[in-house]
């Protein structure tokens, strides 16, 4: 699952904007072992947003598999929607290295520079004018939300080479919690081996936090095994 390096993001540095700051901190466990800590944050104004993240593996998993990720995004705000404009990532997940810059607007998203680390044909982006990047995906899916808005998320995601669809629509209320069940579906830009498991299950559990629902746990499968993110 290509989103794994981004789902293991930590030490999020503060970007330049400073009107509305929010942050989320999660402990990540892979195969039951501590893999690291995530801090997902964004600074949002009425018209723009920016985020940056750096990650290094930690705990026993870090001793077994070194992963690093340096990712950032800048974009504009249209109502309640975040629209990325420029996205860059430098990721080494132990088996693949990428160093790319992607332009999302205006028009269809396109790779500006860098090596995507894939020999598969790139995804056709002609219909992806509303696609978002992986970092914007994490923030939008996990930020505090009104109760009636959770489990209504679906987005096309493009990382400069690969197109996936993320959906969180299966709603399971249980007391003061709501679990959203969904999937990460690989669409294009993936190798034959990556496409052997086209759909990956994802669930996000939100807890009532007053006027909003707050993401407390994320569970998903990776090519290394099941992973869990618990809020701290």
């Amino acid at each position: 699952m290509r989103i794994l390096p981004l789902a293991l993001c930590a030490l999020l540095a503060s970007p330049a904007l400073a009107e509305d700051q929010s942050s989320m901190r999660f402990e990540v466990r892979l195969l039951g072992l501590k893999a690291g800590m995530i801090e997902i944050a964004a600074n949002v104004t009425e018209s723009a947003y920016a985020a940056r993240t750096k990650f290094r593996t930690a705990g026993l998993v870090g001793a077994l598999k070194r992963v690093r990720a340096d990712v950032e995004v800048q974009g504009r705000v249209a109502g309640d929607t975040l629209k990325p404009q420029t996205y860059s990532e430098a990721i080494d997940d132990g088996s693949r290295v990428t160093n790319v810059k992607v332009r999302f607007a205006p028009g269809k998203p396109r790779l500006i520079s860098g090596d995507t680390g894939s020999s598969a044909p790139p995804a056709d982006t002609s219909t992806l004018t509303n696609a978002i990047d992986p970092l914007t995906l994490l923030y939008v899916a996990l930020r505090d939300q009104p109760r009636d808005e959770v489990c209504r998320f679906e987005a096309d995601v493009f990382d400069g080479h690969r197109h996936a669809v993320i959906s969180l629509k299966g709603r399971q209320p249980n007391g003061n919690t709501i679990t959203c069940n969904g999937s990460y579906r690989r669409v294009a830009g993936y190798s034959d081996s990556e496409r052997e498991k086209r759909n990956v299950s994802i669930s996000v559990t939100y807890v009532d936090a007053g006027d909003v629902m707050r993401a407390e746990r994320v569970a998903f499968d990776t090519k290394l095994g099941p992973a869990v993110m618990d809020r701290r």
Side-chain angles (χ1 to χ4, degrees):
M1 183 176 178
R2 182 56 187 155
I3 200 172
L4 172 61
L6 293 179
L8 300 180
C9 295
L11 305 178
L12 191 63
S14 296
L17 304 178
E19 180 173 298
D20 182 14
Q21 298 185 6
S22 59
S23 64
M24 298 167 280
R25 187 174 177 84
F26 293 84
E27 180 182 86
V28 182
R29 302 187 73 84
L30 181 63
L31 296 172
L33 304 174
K34 183 177 179 180
M37 297 294 295
I38 298 174
E39 186 180 356
I40 302 169
N43 290 346
V44 184
T45 70
E46 291 183 354
S47 60
Y49 76 100
R52 182 181 179 184
T53 185
K54 295 182 179 181
F55 172 75
R56 302 293 184 270
T57 45
L60 182 58
V61 171
L64 299 175
K65 187 178 182 63
R66 299 293 180 183
V67 178
R68 67 173 181 84
D70 298 281
V71 184
E72 60 183 274
V73 62
Q74 295 183 347
R76 64 185 181 89
V77 178
D80 294 329
T81 304
L82 302 186
K83 295 183 175 293
Q85 293 181 308
T86 58
Y87 167 81
S88 64
E89 66 172 45
I91 296 175
D92 181 352
D93 68 5
S95 60
R96 178 188 301 156
V97 178
T98 67
N99 189 353
V100 303
K101 293 183 178 181
V102 183
R103 168 70 69 175
F104 277 82
K108 65 182 182 180
R110 58 197 181 278
L111 179 68
I112 298 175
S113 64
D115 180 4
T116 63
S118 176
S119 59
D124 179 4
T125 62
S126 59
T127 62
L128 298 182
T129 53
N130 291 319
I132 61 176
D133 63 279
L135 181 52
T136 299
L137 159 70
L138 285 177
Y139 174 69
V140 171
L142 300 182
R143 64 183 173 179
D144 293 353
Q145 302 171 49
R147 174 179 285 270
D148 61 356
E149 292 184 12
V150 298
C151 304
R152 293 186 176 182
F153 181 79
E154 185 170 71
D156 290 292
V157 181
F158 181 68
D159 68 355
H161 189 91
R162 304 160 190 84
H163 170 208
V165 174
I166 308 297
S167 176
L168 286 170
K169 292 188 173 182
R171 186 183 181 105
Q172 291 185 326
N174 183 16
N176 69 337
T177 70
I178 297 176
T179 297
C180 302
N181 297 308
S183 66
Y184 167 96
R185 179 168 59 88
R186 297 179 172 100
V187 178
Y190 295 89
S191 66
D192 291 341
S193 61
E194 290 171 324
R195 289 170 63 87
E196 287 179 1
K197 190 173 183 180
R198 178 171 294 188
N199 295 312
V200 177
S201 297
I202 304 172
S203 70
V204 181
T205 299
Y206 300 85
V207 175
D208 193 332
D211 295 335
V212 296
M213 300 299 291
R214 179 161 295 172
E216 291 290 338
R217 166 169 279 212
V218 184
F220 56 97
D221 293 327
T222 77
K223 62 185 179 182
L224 300 177
V228 174
M229 295 163 48
D230 286 314
R231 194 156 191 159
R232 294 292 183 258

